């Protein structure tokens, strides 16, 4: 698109501020800016006028079944053997969601490069690979590992893995792919400029993983390799077990199409999404979407009706994901700190949230599945998310839990 076409387009969406510095730019920067504007999905802006659309859920009811920690203990050997068999047959892959910006942690580098060691270097990526290596050692086969990055952190991430020699993982089993971006806006819906020749964009949320995985060609590659199930996991939970044979086995034994690792909520008020049914299909409601009544509702045995919090560790069946590829995920409008140029063209790194990002979330994919097994894990063993530097879900709390589990830091 040339300048006047671009201007026309921006006028349509009331976003002409993006060309504010056009006249100051050299030819190359002008071209880059026009191209970037052409690539923007302006469609997402329509959600700004309807911020509560994500709350338009169907009828929410409690889950009717789950495998609890006790059930798992009783069946551990059976489930584990089934899982090991599937892993040995190459049917299970792991996929790390590492495209996020980790703004709460506040490091300029990818979150996985954060060093949580005390007496030695222990990087978040390293801990995750170590946990996956346990499965390799147990089954004798490498689990294919796909790592999703974004254009903001891909180069740093790939370079880091190279430098660290993949922390001992076989690099033939590791592939990276880059997720897509969405524009970021001020609270009044104006798309920010990040620089005079650059629109402010951010990764489009972890729900974009499957489309980007397909577009990258890696989905085909995985299927050609015989992969049927993918274990999605977040970068920040340093205690989690991925491609966990017992988890895989429990899903397969029960004939489920998907599965989610869950923890019993620490209290009714805990801020985690809970697994439930929506119009009879599996779904996840965010803590703020649960009504007061639902939050405290109990079953006959006194347990919370909405008891199981999700920890961003899911097993999906590739076949089902492909069937749902055309189904649009809800676009969530999230308040974040967004670096931008102010009115005078100065770069601003805000201390507090100053605008919106547009994200789809992997948790919404659960509702597309016919069923989902809730698989309860021991919180103290498997849930140590690092979102913040200190306090709740922080570097400090994760380190404490790792030490409790015998990890030397
Ligand atoms: P979070 O919701 O914690 O987001 O991501 P974040 O961007 O990493 O961190 P904050 O909110 O800015 O502090 C949960 C998981 O989803 C991944 C993250 O890397 C993390 O593993 N993610 C998030 C993506 O892969 N892409 C995204 O666009 C967003």
């Amino acid at each position: 698109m040339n300048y006047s076409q671009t201007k026309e387009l921006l006028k349509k969406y009331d976003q002409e501020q993006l060309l504010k510095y056009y006249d100051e730019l050299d030819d190359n920067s002008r071209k880059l800016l026009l191209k970037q504007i052409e690539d923007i999905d302006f469609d997402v802006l329509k959600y700004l006028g309807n911020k509560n659309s994500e709350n338009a859920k169907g009828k929410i009811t409690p889950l009717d079944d789950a495998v609890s920690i006790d059930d798992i203990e009783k069946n551990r050997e059976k489930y584990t053997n089934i899982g090991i068999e599937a892993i040995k047959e190459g049917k299970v892959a792991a996929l790390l969601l590492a495209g996020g910006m980790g703004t709460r942690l506040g490091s300029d580098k990818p979150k996985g490069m954060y060093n949580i060691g005390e007496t030695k270097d222990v990087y978040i990526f390293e801990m995750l690979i170590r946990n996956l290596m346990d499965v390799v050692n147990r089954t004798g086969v490498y689990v294919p590992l796909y790592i999703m990055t974004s254009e903001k952190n891909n180069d740093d991430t790939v370079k880091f893995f190279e430098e660290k020699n993949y922390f001992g993982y076989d690099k033939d089993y590791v592939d990276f792919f880059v997720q897509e971006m969405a524009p970021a806006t001020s609270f009044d819906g104006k798309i920010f400029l990040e620089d005079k020749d650059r629109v402010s964009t951010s990764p489009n949320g972890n729900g974009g993983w499957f489309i980007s995985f397909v577009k990258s060609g890696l989905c085909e590659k995985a299927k050609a390799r015989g992969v049927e199930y993918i274990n999605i996991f977040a970068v920040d939970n340093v205690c989690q077990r991925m491609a966990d044979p017992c988890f895989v086995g429990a899903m397969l034994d029960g004939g489920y199409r998907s599965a989610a690792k869950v923890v019993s909520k620490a209290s009714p008020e805990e801020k985690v999404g809970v697994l439930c049914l929506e119009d009879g299909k599996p779904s996840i409601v965010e803590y703020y979407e649960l009504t007061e009544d639902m939050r405290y509702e109990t079953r006959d045995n006194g347990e919370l009706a909405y008891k199981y919090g999700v920890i961003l560790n899911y097993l999906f069946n590739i076949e089902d994901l492909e069937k749902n590829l055309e189904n649009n995920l809800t676009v969530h409008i999230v308040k974040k700190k967004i670096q931008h140029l102010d009115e005078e063209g100065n770069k601003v790194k805000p201390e507090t949230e100053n605008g919106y990002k547009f994200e789809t979330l992997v948790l919404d994919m659960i509702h597309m599945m016919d069923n989902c097994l809730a698989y309860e894990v021991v919180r103290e063993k498997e849930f140590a998310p690092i979102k913040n530097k200190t306090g709740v879900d922080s570097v400090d709390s994760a380190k404490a839990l790792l030490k409790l589990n015998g990890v030397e830091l």
Side-chain angles (χ1 to χ4, degrees):
M1 272 195 312
N2 62 26
Y3 176 79
S4 53
Q5 288 166 322
T6 308
K7 205 164 161 93
E8 232 4 76
L9 177 75
L10 291 179
K11 199 166 163 203
K12 183 171 152 204
Y13 291 101
D14 201 14
Q15 300 290 342
E16 286 147 292
Q17 75 284 357
L18 296 181
L19 291 174
K20 184 170 175 183
Y21 302 101
Y22 187 81
D23 292 342
E24 294 177 29
L25 304 176
D26 63 27
D27 271 359
N28 196 33
S29 293
R30 284 179 175 184
K31 268 192 209 137
L32 285 175
L33 181 64
L34 294 185
K35 174 79 180 88
Q36 219 200 344
I37 294 173
E38 186 178 346
D39 289 344
I40 293 177
D41 176 10
F42 288 99
D43 239 26
V44 293
L45 297 176
K46 70 177 184 228
Y47 297 104
L48 281 173
N50 186 18
K51 289 197 207 64
N52 294 326
S53 63
E54 61 191 67
N55 292 337
K57 292 232 184 241
K59 186 173 164 36
I60 303 296
T61 50
L63 280 181
D64 37 28
D65 62 344
V67 290
S68 66
I69 292 170
D70 286 348
D71 298 329
I72 294 166
E73 277 324 309
K74 276 184 218 138
N75 291 297
R76 183 167 287 284
E77 202 181 325
K78 176 174 80 165
Y79 291 160
T80 304
N81 288 340
I82 295 172
I84 287 180
E85 207 46 47
I87 293 167
K88 280 188 170 164
E89 286 166 5
K91 291 182 178 168
V92 183
L95 193 145
L96 167 58
L97 301 170
M101 301 278 282
T103 44
R104 281 170 286 175
L105 186 60
S107 158
D108 287 337
K109 293 279 172 205
K111 201 187 249 188
M113 286 173 66
Y114 199 87
N115 190 350
I116 52 171
E118 290 176 350
T119 60
K120 56 184 176 178
D121 293 339
V122 181
Y123 301 97
I124 292 180
F125 281 140
E126 181 177 6
M127 270 313 305
L128 297 175
I129 294 289
R130 238 194 252 177
N131 296 348
L132 191 55
M133 270 313 284
D134 288 347
V135 181
V136 176
N137 292 334
R138 184 145 192 208
T139 58
V141 297
Y142 276 92
V143 174
L145 172 64
Y146 302 103
I147 302 179
M148 180 168 85
T149 61
S150 81
E151 63 176 48
K152 304 258 180 195
N153 67 13
N154 182 65
D155 292 353
D156 282 340
T157 304
V158 175
K159 201 163 142 237
F160 190 64
F161 270 89
E162 286 286 340
E163 264 169 31
K164 301 292 175 193
N165 201 19
Y166 292 73
F167 300 103
Y169 212 76
D170 184 338
K171 65 185 279 189
D172 289 346
Y173 287 82
V174 183
D175 283 293
F176 298 88
F177 66 102
V178 180
Q179 71 173 103
E180 282 161 41
M181 306 294 278
T185 72
S186 63
F187 284 139
D188 53 10
K190 296 283 182 196
I191 299 176
F192 281 127
L193 278 174
E194 192 173 280
D195 218 326
K196 292 185 173 174
D197 63 350
R198 250 199 101 68
V199 178
S200 173
T201 56
S202 64
N204 66 350
N206 57 31
W209 77 268
F210 189 63
I211 288 180
S212 301
F213 186 56
V214 170
K215 284 189 183 164
S216 70
L218 287 174
C219 185
E220 273 312 308
K221 188 172 160 189
K223 285 195 303 180
R225 221 174 195 168
V227 174
E228 292 178 25
Y229 315 106
I230 293 212
N231 185 193
I232 307 302
F233 64 102
V235 72
D236 43 42
N237 181 5
V238 281
C239 281
Q240 70 190 314
R241 320 301 307 176
M242 54 294 277
D244 174 351
C246 192
F247 181 40
V248 174
M251 179 180 86
L252 296 180
D253 185 60
Y256 286 88
R257 303 297 297 182
S258 68
K261 283 198 171 182
V262 294
V263 290
S264 280
K265 279 171 72 169
S267 68
E269 298 83 22
E270 193 185 6
K271 293 181 173 174
V272 285
V274 293
L275 198 58
C276 60
L277 296 176
E278 177 184 348
D279 296 332
K281 283 185 78 184
S283 185
I284 293 166
V285 284
E286 291 281 22
Y287 68 92
Y288 51 82
E289 292 173 318
L290 272 186
T291 62
E292 197 74 355
D293 284 350
M294 288 163 135
R295 204 167 285 156
Y296 297 100
E297 190 181 327
T298 50
R299 294 180 190 267
D300 293 344
N301 62 7
E303 287 183 348
L304 287 176
Y306 297 93
K307 168 181 170 174
Y308 288 126
V310 288
I311 62 168
L312 221 176
N313 191 311
Y314 305 107
L315 271 171
F316 288 105
N317 194 312
I318 297 190
E319 215 179 58
D320 292 355
L321 293 169
E322 284 185 314
K323 271 191 234 153
N324 285 287
L325 193 58
E326 301 302 323
N327 288 349
N328 287 336
L329 287 169
T330 303
V331 175
H332 296 255
I333 299 165
V334 201
K335 284 187 186 168
K336 295 258 181 173
K337 299 178 205 167
I338 301 159
Q339 295 188 36
H340 64 283
L341 293 189
D342 65 13
E343 284 297 309
E344 283 73 48
N346 304 311
K347 283 190 188 175
V348 180
K349 204 173 175 182
E351 295 291 322
T352 52
E353 292 154 350
N354 63 320
Y356 298 121
K357 291 186 177 179
F358 301 85
E359 298 189 340
T360 59
L361 303 177
V362 64
L363 59 82
D364 288 324
M365 294 173 115
I366 290 295
H367 190 50
M368 296 174 169
M369 303 297 121
D370 287 342
N371 51 46
C372 177
L373 171 70
Y375 177 95
E376 188 186 9
V377 298
V378 180
R379 172 187 287 265
E380 291 72 25
K381 287 199 173 144
E382 288 208 37
F383 191 39
I386 297 179
K387 301 286 184 194
N388 308 297
K389 270 212 170 89
T390 55
V392 180
D393 294 345
S394 67
V395 176
D396 293 347
S397 58
K399 278 183 181 184
L401 211 57
L402 281 171
K403 286 184 202 163
L404 201 72
N405 284 299
V407 177
E408 276 179 41
L409 292 175

